Amino acid sequence: MRAGVVRFQRAGEGADFLQLDPAGVPVRGLTSWLVDALRAGIADGRLAAGVVLPASRALAGDLGVSRGVIVEAYQRLREEGLVSARQGAGTTVLPVRRPAGPDVSLPAGGPPPAGPGLAGPGPAGPGLAGPRSAGPGSAGLGSAGLAPVTGPLPGLLPLPWRARTEIDLSPGVPDLSAFPRAAWLRAERAALAQAGAADLGYGDPRGNERLRTVLAGWLARTRGLRAAPGDIVIVTGVAQALALLGQVLRARGTIRIAVEDPGSRGARLQLAHWGLEPEPVPVDEHGLRVDALIRSGLPAAVLTPAHQFPTGVVLAPDRRRELVDWAGAGGLVIEDDYDAEHRYDRPPVPALQASAPDRIAYAGSTSKTLAPGLRLGWLIPPRWLHTDLVAAKHSSDLGSPALPQLVLAHLIASGDLERHIRLVRQRQRTRRNALFAALREHLPQARIQGVAAGLHLLVTFPDLAGQLDDEALASRIEATGVLVHPLSMHRIAPGPPGLVLGYAAHPPGQLREAAQRIASAAQPS
C-alpha cells in the first residue's frame, strides 16, 4: 500500500485518547476519520485550548496504523487553524471562539455577505449571535445601577467563523492558519525595543510616521501609488475608511453615491449607515459600466477595479481611461484595493490612484494579507479632502493603536511581509486549482470565473438563467454542511443566478469535498 495509509492488523487496537477505535474504518479513509474525530473533540470541548495531542508515533502505535496517518491528520488540523505545532512542544490545541449565547438561525443562503474590504457582517445584516449572557463583571455594573445586557445586540455580534457549518466557503476570509506568528513576534520585540515613550502616547491621528513612511514606499513599489507619507491616514480597515469618507461627503452635501452591481453588500451597508444612498451601476465582463455611471449624474463612486467583487473581472483599459476622465471632470472615485496582492495567472494591475491622485481616494488593508482581526488599513484621499478626513478620524478614535502600527512598519521594512505574501500566494494557488478542478469535474455545466486572482471564485449557470433560485440552492448546499453565498445576495437589481465561493481558508482535500457536495445539491430533484 502507499506510504501513509498502511494499516497494521493488531488485536485490541484502539486508544484511550478520545476512545478512538479505527475498527471498521477503510484503510483509505483513516486520515479523514481521525481528522473528524479530533475536530469533534475540539468543537465539543473535550480537547480544550492548550491540550497537547499525543505524539504521532505513540498514537499510531495505539491505533495500529502508520505514523503517516497521524502526521497528515495533524497537518490538516494545523491548516484549519485548530492546532499549532512547535519543535519540542508538540501539537497543541488552539483556542476556539464559541458563541456566547444561543445561536440564531440564518436566512436561506447563509450569513450576510462579506464585502471585499468589509469581511464581517454589515451593520444591519442578519447572521448575528442571539441573546448574550452576562459576562464577568456584570454584577458590578448592575450594582452601579446599570441593568445587564440580556437581549440581542442587533448588528454588533457576528457569529464566529465556522460556527454553523463544517466547510465555510464565505468569501473574504483569508488563510488565518498561515498568519506569520514567528515573524510577527520578532517584529513586535524589535518594535518595542526601538519605540520611544512618545510612540506609545496619543500621537498623530494620521498614524505613526514610521509606518506611513515605509507604507508609502511599499505601495509605490507594489501598487504604483503616488503618495507622500503625509498623504496617508492609518485606519482600522477599509470599513473605517468608508465610514470616514461617508461622514465627510455627507457633511459636504453628497447624498447619493454609485456602487457596483453586483458588488459588496457590506460596503453598501456601511455607506448607508453614514447617510449616503447607494445607487447601483451595472458591472459586465469588462468591469463597471462607466457609460452608465456618466449617465447617472452621481458625484462619487466606490469601485474594486483591480479585482471586482464578486465577479473577479479587471476594469478594462478603455474603461479605466473613461473613469479617469469622469473623475477629472469633477467626480470622486473611492478605490477599494481589497485583495490585489493575491494574483496567480495574470500580470499585476496597477492601482487607479496614480492616474488621478487628486480625484481618487485609495483604501487598502492587511485583512487579506495578514488577518482581518488586526484592524489595520490605510486611506490615501485627495488632498482637498485630507484635512476633513483627519479631523473625522481624530474625533472617531484619536488615532489607531500604536503597537500594531510599529509592528507592521517593521514587517514591511524587513521584507517579512513580502516574503509572507509570496508564501501564501503559492498556497492559495494550490487551493484555487483544487476547487476549480473539482468544480469542473462535478459541475461541468457551470461557468467558473474570477479565478486569475483573489481569494474567491464565481460560479454561474448560464443555461439555467431565469429557472434557478440561487438562494434556494445555497440553502440546499448548506444542508450538506457547506456554506456558500448566493450571487443574488450581492446584487441590487435582478440578475443571473450564481454562487460566490471563498477558497482561501481550506486545504485542497476539504475544497474537493465541498465541490462534490455542491454538485450533489445542485442536481435536479
Side-chain angles (χ1 to χ4, degrees):
M1 295 184 184
R2 290 185 298 112
V5 295
V6 177
R7 178 77 177 276
F8 303 106
Q9 299 300 320
R10 296 176 49 171
E13 58 187 36
D16 291 335
F17 178 71
L18 292 184
Q19 296 78 54
L20 293 172
D21 181 4
V25 179
V27 170
R28 293 184 180 276
L30 281 170
T31 301
S32 294
W33 163 79
L34 182 56
V35 170
D36 290 343
L38 294 172
R39 191 188 294 123
I42 294 170
D44 63 24
R46 287 177 292 159
L47 298 178
V51 168
V52 179
L53 300 184
S56 58
R57 196 177 303 278
L59 186 56
D62 287 344
L63 296 178
V65 301
S66 126
R67 180 170 174 260
V69 170
I70 314 301
V71 171
E72 183 178 349
Y74 285 4
Q75 175 62 28
R76 289 192 193 178
L77 294 174
R78 285 198 296 273
E79 289 177 343
E80 293 180 28
L82 298 178
V83 302
S84 66
R86 286 191 301 122
Q87 188 73 26
T91 301
T92 306
V93 177
L94 294 174
V96 177
R97 295 182 58 190
R98 295 182 175 85
D103 198 358
V104 173
S105 296
L106 297 180
L118 299 171
L128 307 174
R132 188 178 180 89
S133 59
S138 59
L141 290 174
S143 63
L146 297 176
V149 176
T150 57
L153 300 178
L156 299 181
L157 302 176
L159 284 170
W161 180 59
R162 289 182 176 162
R164 288 182 46 80
T165 53
E166 180 183 350
I167 305 176
D168 187 343
L169 300 187
S170 298
V173 180
D175 183 7
L176 300 175
S177 69
F179 182 81
R181 296 169 187 261
W184 183 272
L185 283 172
R186 288 195 304 271
E188 192 165 83
R189 292 189 188 98
L192 283 171
Q194 298 167 6
D199 288 320
L200 302 178
Y202 292 111
D204 191 328
R206 295 174 299 174
N208 180 270
E209 184 177 7
R210 173 163 172 74
L211 174 57
R212 289 186 285 114
T213 299
V214 299
L215 190 60
W218 184 64
L219 291 173
R221 293 192 306 272
T222 61
R223 303 298 298 128
L225 262 67
R226 292 164 52 194
D231 297 326
I232 300 174
V233 181
I234 302 301
V235 291
T236 55
V238 173
Q240 187 178 48
L242 291 177
L244 298 177
L245 286 163
Q247 294 172 62
V248 168
L249 292 177
R250 189 69 178 81
R252 285 171 167 257
T254 297
I255 298 176
R256 299 160 62 231
I257 189 168
V259 294
E260 297 169 315
D261 189 23
S264 167
R265 181 170 178 262
R268 295 200 302 270
L269 290 172
Q270 183 79 351
L271 294 167
H273 179 80
W274 295 106
L276 299 181
E277 299 175 8
E279 299 282 348
V281 175
V283 170
D284 61 21
E285 66 273 18
H286 302 294
L288 183 84
R289 289 274 307 277
V290 181
D291 59 334
L293 172 63
I294 295 171
R295 288 196 302 270
S296 73
L298 296 168
V302 180
L303 278 79
T304 51
H307 184 240
Q308 201 276 331
F309 182 88
T311 66
V313 302
V314 178
L315 189 65
D318 57 334
R319 295 195 183 177
R320 287 173 69 99
R321 290 190 293 271
E322 292 172 4
L323 184 65
V324 169
D325 289 345
W326 171 82
L332 173 68
V333 174
I334 300 173
E335 180 178 11
D336 182 356
D337 203 24
Y338 70 102
D339 70 352
E341 298 86 357
H342 298 283
R343 57 179 178 81
Y344 318 110
D345 308 320
R346 72 173 198 202
V349 179
L352 274 174
Q353 188 266 358
S355 301
D358 201 42
R359 302 306 308 177
I360 296 175
Y362 176 92
S365 79
T366 63
S367 292
K368 306 301 182 286
T369 53
L370 290 171
L374 294 178
R375 308 312 306 140
L376 274 172
W378 42 88
L379 172 62
I380 305 176
R383 290 181 178 173
W384 54 274
L385 284 175
H386 190 268
T387 299
D388 289 353
L389 287 164
V390 173
K393 168 67 177 175
H394 183 263
S395 297
S396 174
D397 56 18
L398 303 183
S400 295
L403 185 55
Q405 293 185 64
L406 295 172
V407 175
L408 180 59
H410 190 277
L411 285 174
I412 294 173
S414 67
D416 279 341
L417 180 61
E418 292 191 35
R419 282 189 287 273
H420 168 71
I421 290 172
R422 287 196 297 271
L423 178 65
V424 170
R425 187 183 295 160
Q426 294 171 3
R427 179 183 290 196
Q428 302 304 2
R429 181 197 297 270
T430 300
R431 296 180 176 193
R432 187 275 316 261
N433 290 347
L435 182 58
F436 180 80
L439 289 170
R440 278 284 186 225
E441 177 183 355
H442 299 291
L443 271 179
Q445 72 276 24
R447 179 188 177 195
I448 307 171
Q449 59 192 83
V451 299
L455 302 177
H456 73 275
L457 53 79
L458 176 63
V459 179
T460 57
F461 304 89
D463 296 338
L464 298 178
Q467 306 172 43
L468 178 66
D469 182 338
D470 58 10
E471 291 190 5
L473 175 58
S475 183
R476 294 198 301 273
I477 294 170
E478 185 177 356
T480 73
V482 179
L483 189 63
V484 301
H485 281 191
L487 179 57
S488 59
M489 292 181 70
H490 299 275
R491 290 190 181 279
I492 299 177
L499 301 172
V500 187
L501 311 180
Y503 53 78
H506 298 280
Q510 278 197 327
L511 293 171
R512 286 189 284 267
E513 174 66 23
Q516 293 180 24
R517 298 186 192 183
I518 291 170
S520 176
Q523 296 303 316
S525 54

